[in-house]
Amino acid sequence: MKAVELVEEKIETKKQMFLTGGQAVLEAFLEEGVDTIFGYPGGAIMPIYDALYDYNDRLKHILVRHEQGAIHAAQGFARVSGKTGVVFATSGPGATNLVTGLADAMIDSTPVVCITGQVFAHLLGTDAFQEIDVINITTPVTKWNFQVTDATEIPAVLAKAFYIAGSGRPGPVLIDITKNAQLQQFEYERYEKCNHIRSYRPKPIIRKKYIEAAAALINNATRPFVIFGQGVILGNAEKEFKAFIEKAGIPAAWTIMGMSAIPTNHPLGVGMLGMHGNYGPNVLTNECDVLIAVGMRFDDRVTGRLDKYAKQAKIIHLDIDPSEIDKNVKTNVPVWGDCKETLPMLTALVEQKNHTDWHQKFKDYQLKEDEKCIGPELNPTTDELTMGEVIKLLNELTNGEAVIVTDVGQHQMVACRYAKYNNSKSNITSGGLGTMGFALPTAIGAKFGAPSKTIIAIAGDGGIQMTIQELGTIMQFDVEIKILILNNQFLGMVRQWQQLFHEKRYSFVGITSPNFVQVAKGYYIEGQKVSEREKLKDALQTMLQHKGSYLLEVMVGKENNVFPMVPQGKGVSEIVLSKEEI
Amino acid sequence: MQKQEFTITVYTENQIGLLVRIAIIFSRRKINIDSLNTSPSEIDSVHRFTIVINETEDVVRKLCRQIEKQVEVLKTYYNNNDEIVWQELALYKVPTDIIAEEVKVERLLSQHGAKAVVIRKDYTVFEVAGHREETDNLIKVLEPYGLIEFVRSARIAIIKNSEGFHKKLKEFEYREPGEVATENEFLNQNEEVFSM
Ligand SMILES: Cc1ncc(C[n+]2csc(CCOP(=O)(O)OP(=O)(O)O)c2C)c(N)n1
């Protein structure tokens, strides 16, 4: 009797469940813990949007004003939260509008899953309305992409998409779903998360012999120097990283992508690397005896001329991506693996040291930089405001607790040079691609990823105009972000190069702006404009204390330059402190 | 480092679009692919790409790492010409009457190991398998006799000291791979990588 009952119960629970492809996409999102989608509808993705209508209670959808805004928002969401950002866009122009964001996410290793609608499968290749070969267009700018033409594939493909986007070295994934597959009803079994693909190795095996070799090099070094990138943040290895440098007593400098992994005032932090980085870290790269690179990829903006880069040093490179080892800089000891695992192994083997004399060298260079660059930038004696003094006041008012999202240009370099951070994932910037227009939409997404944080978007008068329509998104969804425009009436970074390297032939770098405060008002966003030093602090205070979004436009010196600078084609130790030295 | 001919062997999943993913790794760096062949491998579900390029070993090593990074690529090897056995197949179409008339042509063809595949009244198709120089030579030989059409296949190659992919594939299928599955031979070959 009992046995029969049991069988009946089993049959009961194995009730069939039918879903459309569109619903299956949303079920996958719920299973993956997605709660926010950034997107824009259109013909080829309508069945998914139709399904979304019934998931409104569980999934928040933010309607942006341009698909580039959607993917940047998803990047911002991912960068502050460590979770995967999610995007919807329609076929054709919707999909092509994603390309810049995909490229940005690819080069800066940001986990994003984009779903694009596609024309019916039977129309593929017929130049149907809004048909574009999105898979081939996005192949170079995605970690993985896939076209779904049958709804039954959706659960497994999305599981793979989330696994690939978020594991190993993260990156963007695009799934293109034909309209018939979105509409198709199929028997839904259940969602199974993916955690293994036989052809995909997210993490290389850690080899102990390399860890031992690295430790031996470090223990014998007298002038060891650590340089670190976003790998520390992506690997959630901030604590492990700190423990390592603190035990070994090694000065550490960050790339702009690694910035905020340790607090900017950490005693072992010696500043920023690269073209507009700090003086000491650049010069001393060419004086250290062991260079330990952690989760960074030796971008040319960091290394300057490669044949003049750290030639005297033994190089240890810790990276999760084997293809980064030896790509730009020849490594002596490759430490493959997730630095969350390799750093503690290394820490266990290194000796406690403090390298006092070596640290002093960084301090000496710091003094020179203070005198020539930092002092005049932060405490100017001129009438004109500098970008640096704005950032300095912002530091005072936020105490290093805000998340700063920058656009691209001089203000980006100044913000990265001078902003203070206490917490990881606080500096969000377009490092690899240098995408103007990044700040505003990315800041919107960042607010959804870190709702309790103050999010400040800092942009130039040029970049803000590239994605300014996202003020509409702020208006519609009551997003609270602070928009700080540093207006120098020029495409400043290009102007600086024209001044320094093209005999001041200012070719199309003067840019006029609308009345930004009025534009913001048009979107029901409060704002003001300041150009006097006496009013700056109050204005910043007002911006930060305002309930809701706020736009502050600060007029700064028109022809100020960012220094120090490693001129293009020069080695890192040829860094100059002023234009007279070029 | 000198440029030389390298043969890259890539074991992959059978996936639409993967050819583009692999091809753009070369085109993006403005590197010409001399020959490319895709085929099944010794394992049912696994595809094999054979790619020939003329580059320095340093460049080839980096390219291989970029290829291996692709999600659907299982493994990538590169070898110089001493480490492989390789062949290309060439087909030649010549007027049948000339071969029939000229005994010399007949002799030349057999000297070059050519085998008739099709013989019609108007033309005959010969095949030759061999290295580039060998198949090239026969073109020169046949040209005076009215070579109508010529085509040559991509290179296919067998790695001399390979144990095949069966054992490796098993490793890949484990969630926790052994060193065998993740090793990058081309990295290990490079003695300079690890020095103190
Ligand atoms: C989409 C895009 N187009 C062009 C550039 C080239 N570019 C880099 S910085 C810059 C000037 C930016 O000017 P602005 O936004 O006013 O900032 P500023 O440098 O003045 O702080 C330009 C045009 C770019 N990085 N991105």
Side-chain angles (χ1 to χ4, degrees):
Chain A
M1 252 338 253
K2 202 114 204 240
V4 175
E5 263 173 43
L6 273 178
V7 170
E8 267 171 13
E9 240 176 56
K10 255 202 185 134
I11 292 167
E12 259 273 296
T13 54
K14 235 203 119 200
K15 232 174 62 197
Q16 282 179 316
M17 183 159 128
F18 283 92
L19 291 184
T20 65
Q23 289 168 323
V25 169
L26 302 177
E27 285 296 325
F29 283 6
L30 293 175
E31 295 275 357
E32 295 289 346
V34 172
D35 53 22
T36 311
I37 304 161
F38 302 94
Y40 210 94
I45 199 172
M46 284 185 65
I48 290 180
Y49 271 83
D50 186 60
L52 188 59
Y53 193 78
D54 297 322
Y55 283 73
N56 222 352
D57 51 335
R58 285 157 288 169
L59 290 167
K60 204 172 352 177
H61 177 275
I62 308 304
L63 179 71
V64 294
R65 293 300 181 266
H66 184 290
E67 288 85 354
Q68 184 186 351
I71 184 159
H72 286 333
Q75 291 179 270
F77 178 91
R79 295 263 294 262
V80 294
S81 68
K83 294 191 269 187
T84 296
V86 175
V87 175
F88 280 159
T90 194
S91 67
T96 55
N97 277 347
L98 295 179
V99 171
T100 302
L102 288 169
D104 195 285
M106 184 72 178
I107 199 162
D108 281 347
S109 310
T110 311
V112 176
V113 171
C114 296
I115 308 287
T116 48
Q118 181 57 282
V119 300
F120 285 88
H122 71 270
L123 293 175
L124 287 171
T126 65
D127 302 322
F129 178 64
Q130 296 193 328
E131 185 202 354
I132 202 79
D133 183 359
V134 59
I135 294 296
N136 278 310
I137 285 182
T138 62
T139 292
V141 290
T142 50
K143 184 173 172 188
W144 188 64
N145 61 8
F146 191 83
Q147 186 174 63
V148 173
T149 49
D150 188 304
T152 57
E153 299 173 300
I154 287 175
V157 167
L158 282 191
K160 242 176 118 173
F162 279 95
Y163 174 56
I164 292 168
S167 60
R169 179 175 179 177
V173 169
L174 182 138
I175 306 298
D176 192 38
I177 309 180
T178 55
K179 198 165 176 182
N180 58 295
Q182 298 172 38
L183 290 164
Q184 181 190 343
Q185 292 244 347
F186 71 107
E187 191 183 339
Y188 184 78
E189 302 266 342
R190 70 195 141 90
Y191 188 83
E192 243 179 289
K193 279 202 181 186
C194 175
N195 59 10
H196 177 71
I197 298 170
R198 72 176 184 181
S199 59
Y200 170 61
R201 293 273 152 252
K203 294 180 189 179
I205 290 255
I206 296 167
R207 288 152 194 239
K208 257 192 106 186
K209 69 171 185 195
Y210 289 149
I211 304 241
E212 286 161 0
L217 273 184
I218 293 169
N219 289 336
N220 286 321
T222 55
R223 300 181 311 282
F225 183 27
V226 168
I227 56 179
F228 66 97
Q230 194 191 200
V232 175
I233 298 172
L234 291 171
N236 277 317
E238 292 92 344
K239 248 199 261 151
E240 290 78 3
F241 178 75
K242 244 167 69 177
F244 165 64
I245 56 169
E246 283 169 6
K247 182 174 180 196
I250 305 179
W254 51 80
T255 69
I256 71 171
M257 296 302 291
M259 188 173 189
S260 85
I262 58 171
T264 40
N265 65 0
H266 190 283
L268 291 171
V270 291
M272 184 166 109
L273 296 160
M275 186 174 267
H276 291 293
N278 291 108
Y279 196 32
N282 273 308
V283 174
L284 295 173
T285 295
N286 282 356
E287 286 179 33
C288 65
D289 58 355
V290 175
L291 188 65
I292 306 129
V294 185
M296 55 88 72
R297 57 184 181 83
F298 294 103
D299 180 88
D300 60 277
R301 284 293 190 270
V302 162
T303 62
R305 209 176 137 146
L306 274 177
D307 59 5
K308 292 185 175 178
Y309 184 79
K311 285 292 164 201
Q312 79 297 340
K314 297 276 188 209
I315 293 172
I316 301 169
H317 191 176
L318 286 75
D319 209 286
I320 197 166
D321 178 354
S323 74
E324 287 300 341
I325 307 279
D326 286 351
K327 188 184 79 179
N328 295 336
V329 172
K330 205 100 182 123
T331 304
N332 297 91
V333 182
V335 181
W336 309 5
D338 183 344
C339 62
K340 188 162 183 86
E341 295 162 32
T342 53
L343 281 169
M345 294 169 80
L346 197 52
T347 308
L349 298 180
V350 297
E351 291 157 13
Q352 191 124 24
K353 296 244 168 101
N354 44 40
H355 298 292
T356 320
D357 294 347
W358 174 231
H359 281 282
Q360 189 55 45
K361 285 209 148 188
F362 285 88
K363 291 190 185 119
D364 296 343
Y365 278 104
Q366 175 78 37
L367 288 178
K368 287 186 205 155
E369 188 180 344
D370 270 339
E371 185 198 321
K372 283 253 189 151
C373 301
I374 301 176
E377 182 69 31
L378 299 189
N379 306 301
T381 48
T382 53
D383 282 350
E384 290 180 324
L385 292 178
T386 65
M387 292 181 177
E389 67 183 309
V390 182
I391 306 295
K392 180 181 137 191
L393 282 175
L394 204 57
N395 288 335
E396 287 172 18
L397 297 171
T398 61
N399 289 318
E401 288 295 321
V403 169
I404 295 181
V405 184
T406 70
D407 215 84
V408 171
Q410 290 184 311
H411 66 280
Q412 172 192 33
M413 290 300 119
V414 173
C416 289
R417 283 179 53 77
Y418 298 111
K420 300 275 178 241
Y421 297 111
N422 303 334
N423 312 303
S424 182
K425 301 191 173 79
S426 296
N427 179 54
I428 313 296
T429 193
S430 170
L433 200 65
T435 307
M436 279 174 73
F438 182 79
L440 185 60
T442 304
I444 293 171
K447 186 65 188 178
F448 287 98
S452 62
K453 294 264 166 120
T454 299
I455 312 283
I456 306 171
I458 302 182
D461 44 321
I464 193 75
Q465 294 188 62
M466 282 207 174
T467 48
I468 199 162
Q469 72 281 0
E470 297 305 334
L471 291 174
T473 309
I474 293 177
M475 169 180 71
Q476 184 168 353
F477 295 90
D478 254 329
V479 193
E480 180 172 350
I481 64 165
K482 312 300 176 187
I483 305 155
L484 179 57
I485 300 174
L486 299 178
N487 187 346
N488 53 13
Q489 302 167 62
F490 272 115
L491 298 172
M493 186 56 95
V494 181
R495 186 209 54 73
Q496 173 169 347
W497 282 50
Q498 289 182 349
Q499 180 186 0
L500 299 178
F501 309 114
H502 297 273
E503 295 91 38
K504 217 173 165 178
R505 286 152 55 89
Y506 286 170
S507 182
F508 300 99
V509 287
I511 185 165
T512 56
S513 291
N515 182 332
F516 287 120
V517 177
Q518 282 298 338
V519 171
K521 286 241 160 73
Y523 285 98
Y524 307 100
I525 295 167
E526 289 289 312
Q528 66 170 312
K529 170 174 171 174
V530 290
S531 30
E532 300 94 1
R533 186 160 289 127
E534 310 78 63
K535 293 189 183 152
L536 181 60
K537 190 163 183 179
D538 272 354
L540 286 165
Q541 187 94 30
T542 308
M543 172 183 87
L544 292 169
Q545 284 174 352
H546 183 79
K547 288 246 173 311
S549 282
Y550 194 91
L551 183 146
L552 176 63
E553 178 186 6
V554 181
M555 302 305 292
V556 295
K558 284 181 75 169
E559 294 183 76
N560 293 348
N561 289 329
V562 189
F563 280 105
M565 178 174 194
V566 180
Q568 202 166 37
K570 293 280 167 71
V572 280
S573 48
E574 296 171 287
I575 184 169
V576 298
L577 293 173
S578 67
K579 69 171 187 281
E580 287 69 39
E581 290 176 54
I582 287 182
Chain B
M1 246 193 267
Q2 277 281 318
K3 281 193 182 182
Q4 67 178 106
E5 209 163 71
F6 282 99
T7 300
I8 300 172
T9 305
V10 190
Y11 285 95
T12 74
E13 301 291 355
N14 186 2
Q15 171 81 52
I16 293 174
L18 191 54
L19 174 61
V20 173
R21 254 189 203 280
I22 291 176
I24 60 179
I25 290 172
F26 296 88
S27 56
R28 176 180 170 189
R29 295 168 176 83
K30 241 178 148 57
I31 290 170
N32 195 37
I33 294 178
D34 291 336
S35 151
L36 178 141
N37 182 78
T38 69
S39 76
S41 71
E42 58 271 25
I43 297 163
D44 208 13
S45 60
V46 174
H47 240 59
R48 180 171 176 148
F49 285 65
T50 306
I51 302 165
V52 183
I53 62 168
N54 195 18
E55 266 302 337
T56 65
E57 183 168 355
D58 200 40
V59 169
V60 174
R61 190 185 305 119
K62 285 179 192 172
L63 289 168
C64 284
R65 284 183 203 174
Q66 295 296 333
I67 295 170
E68 201 161 282
K69 187 164 140 175
Q70 305 309 315
V71 170
E72 274 123 357
V73 170
L74 288 148
K75 199 90 198 79
T76 307
Y77 303 92
Y78 72 81
N79 294 96
N80 63 31
N81 288 346
D82 296 335
E83 296 163 341
I84 54 169
V85 175
W86 85 94
Q87 293 278 278
E88 293 166 347
L89 182 69
L91 298 177
Y92 310 76
K93 184 157 106 185
V94 260
T96 302
D97 47 0
I98 294 196
I99 311 160
E101 282 162 24
E102 302 234 6
V103 201
K104 210 170 119 207
V105 180
E106 178 92 58
R107 208 174 53 235
L108 280 171
L109 284 166
S110 70
Q111 267 172 13
H112 283 85
K115 222 171 64 195
V117 193
V118 172
I119 305 171
R120 292 179 22 154
K121 256 215 216 93
D122 45 350
Y123 65 79
T124 300
V125 175
F126 292 96
E127 67 168 33
V128 172
H131 289 185
R132 176 75 48 99
E133 312 77 68
E134 299 168 303
T135 50
D136 271 354
N137 277 344
L138 190 53
I139 302 182
K140 278 189 216 106
V141 169
L142 289 177
E143 255 164 7
Y145 302 101
L147 174 63
I148 302 167
E149 209 179 321
F150 167 76
V151 64
R152 178 169 50 217
S153 76
R155 171 185 293 192
I156 54 172
I158 291 277
I159 303 168
K160 285 179 185 164
N161 66 1
S162 162
E163 293 169 4
F165 208 65
H166 291 281
K167 206 174 93 204
K168 281 231 165 68
L169 187 70
K170 287 225 177 66
E171 288 269 344
F172 276 100
E173 280 163 353
Y174 290 130
R175 201 139 295 177
E176 277 308 317
E179 291 233 349
V180 199
T182 45
E183 84 202 297
N184 282 40
E185 282 90 334
F186 46 85
L187 184 70
N188 301 346
Q189 274 170 12
N190 173 11
E191 282 158 38
E192 287 161 54
V193 160
F194 174 56
S195 63
M196 276 184 61

